[in-house]
Amino acid sequence: SYWPNDYGLYHMAGNVSEWVKDVYRPLTSEDYDEFRPFRGNVFKTKLLNNEGKIEQRNQQVQYDIHGMKEYLNEFERIRFQRISANNHDPNDTVIPIGLSSNIGSRNQVKQGYAPDPFYVSHGKIKDSIELQLLADINSVIDQALIWQNEKHYIEASALIQDRIFDEIFTDSFREGPDGEEYAFDAITILRDGFREFIIDTPGKLKYRNVTEEENIGRLNYRRDDYIDYLDGDIESSIFYANDERKNDINQATRDPKLIMYQSMHEEYDLDGGQVKPGDRTSWPTTLISDKSRVYKGGSWKDRAYWLAPSQRRHLDEDKSTD
């Protein structure tokens, strides 16, 4: 602790931590020679209509539907201690004790038990009512994904808003023996979790990422996303000469964001096929991702080491510490 102030009070003065826009990468200081380099450029441009005029503003919430699907699969895997998060499988009801213990050791929760008390108290049998709720949500997201992949973005997000948020989340209750209605705790968790996948809100101008074909001949940049440049992209990884991995990325089979920093579960490729069946390296191996932001400085709880402006730490941009 630092010295007290004139009134004898501790922790009333000192530096504070500061969030910065810089995306954290451990090799940034080696990749750049400039003074105070910045990492994190994602170049976008306004969305235009066929007449070349700026497209009208958003009229509704826009969702990252692929992200919502991945989150929902991961939610089921953790809630029911499932083997994988590949697909929604309502028939995956009972997990053998040995496999369950193996999963628990790699996916611990704070209390040491599966998060759902119903699952534990009923001999690892899933709640049939909750299963139907998740099946309904999955069916809506699957339909929205079809429209999203066909580039019907407005209809896809509208379906999510109308069917999930305004219908399922609003009208679904668990009925008690005497007709009492109980809210699903899973709905509360999913509602908060899905909020992370809101990518645009009504009233904002529409933007899109630039493309390489429209940047032909440009000298200062070509691609839209330079977050992983020289530290995270395939050229800076051990797969720099692996043509098979490059083709998988070009054919949208493997996620280029997980090449060097595997911050998410990766047992399945983007087509649903197994790439690491039963391999322990399928699990996240790092906390570094595109959401890892640098924060500088130190609070009264930090050592003086962190007060130097050149010291860099990172934390997920959606998290905080005291």
Side-chain angles (χ1 to χ4, degrees):
S1 178
Y2 296 103
W3 288 100
N5 63 10
D6 294 340
Y7 297 98
L9 300 176
Y10 288 86
H11 304 159
M12 299 300 292
N15 207 339
V16 295
S17 299
E18 174 192 10
W19 277 113
V20 297
K21 294 180 66 177
D22 199 2
V23 177
Y24 177 81
R25 288 293 185 271
L27 301 179
T28 294
S29 58
E30 301 179 15
D31 297 335
Y32 297 96
D33 297 328
E34 295 88 350
F35 176 66
R36 299 173 64 184
F38 172 76
R39 177 185 292 276
N41 283 333
V42 178
F43 297 98
K44 297 186 176 184
T45 185
K46 292 185 179 68
L47 189 63
L48 306 180
N49 58 23
N50 291 342
E51 298 178 357
K53 299 179 181 179
I54 296 178
E55 185 68 274
Q56 62 179 343
R57 296 175 184 268
N58 287 318
Q59 302 298 316
Q60 64 181 39
V61 178
Q62 300 289 322
Y63 294 97
D64 174 11
I65 302 175
H66 289 88
M68 294 176 69
K69 179 65 175 180
E70 293 174 359
Y71 172 83
L72 186 59
N73 286 342
E74 191 72 0
F75 173 87
E76 292 187 59
R77 181 184 66 80
I78 295 175
R79 191 170 183 83
F80 300 118
Q81 295 288 277
R82 285 182 47 204
I83 300 300
S84 70
N86 183 27
N87 290 308
H88 168 71
D89 184 7
N91 298 317
D92 180 17
T93 54
V94 180
I95 304 299
I97 295 177
L99 289 176
S100 174
S101 300
N102 188 28
I103 294 176
S105 66
R106 291 177 293 177
N107 180 37
Q108 288 289 346
V109 291
K110 291 183 179 179
Q111 295 83 2
Y113 302 97
D116 184 13
F118 183 99
Y119 184 63
V120 176
S121 62
H122 288 71
K124 298 188 177 180
I125 300 297
K126 294 182 181 179
D127 183 351
S128 59
I129 300 177
E130 189 172 284
L131 271 180
Q132 184 59 50
L133 174 70
L134 294 174
D136 294 341
I137 296 175
N138 269 286
S139 64
V140 175
I141 293 181
D142 289 343
Q143 180 60 52
L145 279 175
I146 294 175
W147 290 351
Q148 179 87 0
N149 293 336
E150 295 292 334
K151 297 188 177 182
H152 301 153
Y153 306 117
I154 296 177
E155 292 83 355
S157 290
L159 182 65
I160 294 293
Q161 182 67 43
D162 296 340
R163 291 290 309 283
I164 294 181
F165 286 93
D166 298 340
E167 184 177 324
I168 297 177
F169 284 176
T170 303
D171 301 333
S172 298
F173 295 94
R174 187 189 298 274
E175 187 173 343
D178 298 328
E180 292 290 335
E181 292 182 343
Y182 297 88
F184 287 97
D185 61 325
I187 288 182
T188 303
I189 299 172
L190 289 173
R191 184 188 293 274
D192 291 339
F194 283 162
R195 285 174 180 168
E196 295 186 11
F197 302 99
I198 296 177
I199 57 178
D200 226 334
T201 54
K204 291 185 177 180
L205 290 175
K206 298 179 182 180
Y207 284 82
R208 63 169 176 81
N209 288 12
V210 300
T211 61
E212 290 194 43
E213 51 266 33
E214 68 182 324
N215 285 339
I216 296 175
R218 195 177 188 113
L219 299 179
N220 52 350
Y221 70 89
R222 294 287 181 87
R223 297 181 299 176
D224 60 332
D225 189 343
Y226 279 88
I227 290 179
D228 290 328
Y229 180 64
L230 293 181
D231 192 356
D233 55 13
I234 192 168
E235 288 83 2
S236 58
S237 72
I238 61 175
F239 302 104
Y240 68 94
N242 190 323
D243 291 337
E244 181 180 357
R245 180 62 65 91
K246 292 180 180 179
N247 288 332
D248 286 342
I249 295 174
N250 292 337
Q251 297 299 320
T253 302
R254 297 294 295 275
D255 189 346
K257 292 295 183 181
L258 301 180
I259 294 297
M260 190 165 177
Y261 297 106
Q262 186 178 323
S263 58
M264 295 186 296
H265 186 269
E266 194 191 20
E267 185 174 351
Y268 299 89
D269 59 30
L270 300 180
D271 291 335
Q274 284 187 308
V275 294
K276 299 178 180 179
D279 190 344
R280 62 190 302 174
T281 61
S282 301
W283 299 83
T285 58
T286 180
L287 295 176
I288 298 174
S289 70
D290 286 358
K291 287 190 173 184
S292 300
R293 299 287 173 174
V294 173
Y295 71 97
K296 297 181 179 180
S299 67
W300 51 265
K301 291 181 116 181
D302 287 315
R303 295 180 295 145
Y305 171 83
W306 294 110
L307 301 182
S310 59
Q311 304 307 327
R312 299 157 59 87
R313 290 181 285 181
H314 73 92
L315 189 68
D316 191 291
E317 63 185 10
D318 297 325
K319 302 183 185 302
S320 63
T321 61
D322 59 1

